[in-house]
Amino acid sequence: MIEKGISPMTEIDLSKVLTKEAVTLDHEPFASKEEMFDFMSKKFLDAGIITDQKAYIQALEEREEMGPTYMGNYIGLPHGRCNEVISSGIGFCRCKEPFTYQSCGETGEVKYVFMLAIPGSQSGEQYMRVLATLAGLLAKEEFVDHLDDVHNYEELMELVKTCSEE
């Protein structure tokens, strides 16, 4: 099954999966990664990306045991894949100040969280392409440097588009 915006023959267009209802700007720092999981997964639930918040959080936690999702540079990239995900989605949360993020034995300060929700039915190749496309964007200094400049979803989409074309 091919998710909306994801075709095996084309490059991943992140604007098709970056979920407007799951974008939060200038949130207070989270007390823990678990609090952030709860907050962002609720956004996915409200947006209709997932059907079961508890199952999705369990998928996030299982992924955390496999390896760190702390990316450095104030970025957290948690992701979960389960059958309770209806369609691929990426949520973004920018905190006013960094919070301590612990992931598989690594600890770092995180201000920007990009959370992925991937359907269990989606092929591993498609899952990795979404993750790789997002990770590639996050590796671009000009993208990360301008995350504090966006004021709304539309400006975030424009930043994604501009930096994806480079």
Side-chain angles (χ1 to χ4, degrees):
M1 181 169 123
I2 297 177
E3 294 302 312
K4 83 174 177 176
I6 301 174
S7 166
M9 303 308 287
T10 61
E11 203 171 289
I12 301 299
D13 182 355
L14 293 178
S15 69
K16 303 275 193 232
V17 290
L18 194 52
T19 308
K20 183 175 186 174
E21 299 83 1
V23 171
T24 303
L25 302 175
D26 299 324
H27 193 277
E28 292 300 322
F30 295 100
S32 66
K33 181 179 67 179
E34 291 72 25
E35 181 184 36
M36 180 268 297
F37 279 4
D38 187 62
F39 174 81
M40 292 190 71
S41 63
K42 175 82 167 80
K43 294 282 188 182
F44 280 151
L45 184 67
D46 292 346
I49 298 293
I50 63 173
T51 59
D52 184 328
Q53 185 179 8
K54 186 176 179 180
Y56 177 65
I57 289 174
Q58 182 177 346
L60 289 169
E61 291 170 347
E62 288 171 1
R63 171 54 190 87
E64 289 293 305
E65 292 175 12
M66 297 169 63
T69 58
Y70 169 66
M71 306 296 293
N73 207 17
Y74 294 107
I75 299 168
L77 188 57
H79 44 288
R81 180 178 177 195
C82 63
N83 293 330
E84 291 76 13
V85 176
I86 298 169
S87 63
S88 296
I90 299 175
F92 172 66
C93 183
R94 178 181 70 203
C95 293
K96 291 179 181 180
E97 299 293 329
F99 68 98
T100 302
Y101 186 95
Q102 296 179 324
S103 178
C104 200
E106 288 191 14
T107 301
E109 293 294 302
V110 166
K111 184 176 180 181
Y112 313 109
V113 178
F114 287 88
M115 181 180 278
L116 281 73
I118 306 292
S121 61
Q122 189 175 79
S123 77
E125 178 186 335
Q126 290 171 327
Y127 172 49
M128 292 308 294
R129 287 177 60 228
V130 172
L131 191 58
T133 301
L134 180 56
L137 189 60
L138 294 173
K140 294 183 177 185
E141 195 173 307
E142 64 273 19
F143 178 74
V144 176
D145 286 349
H146 291 286
L147 285 173
D148 280 331
D149 299 336
V150 298
H151 298 94
N152 54 46
Y153 173 80
E154 290 73 22
E155 289 181 12
L156 178 61
M157 289 293 85
E158 186 59 35
L159 180 61
V160 167
K161 181 181 177 192
T162 299
C163 291
S164 293
E165 293 172 350
E166 295 175 355

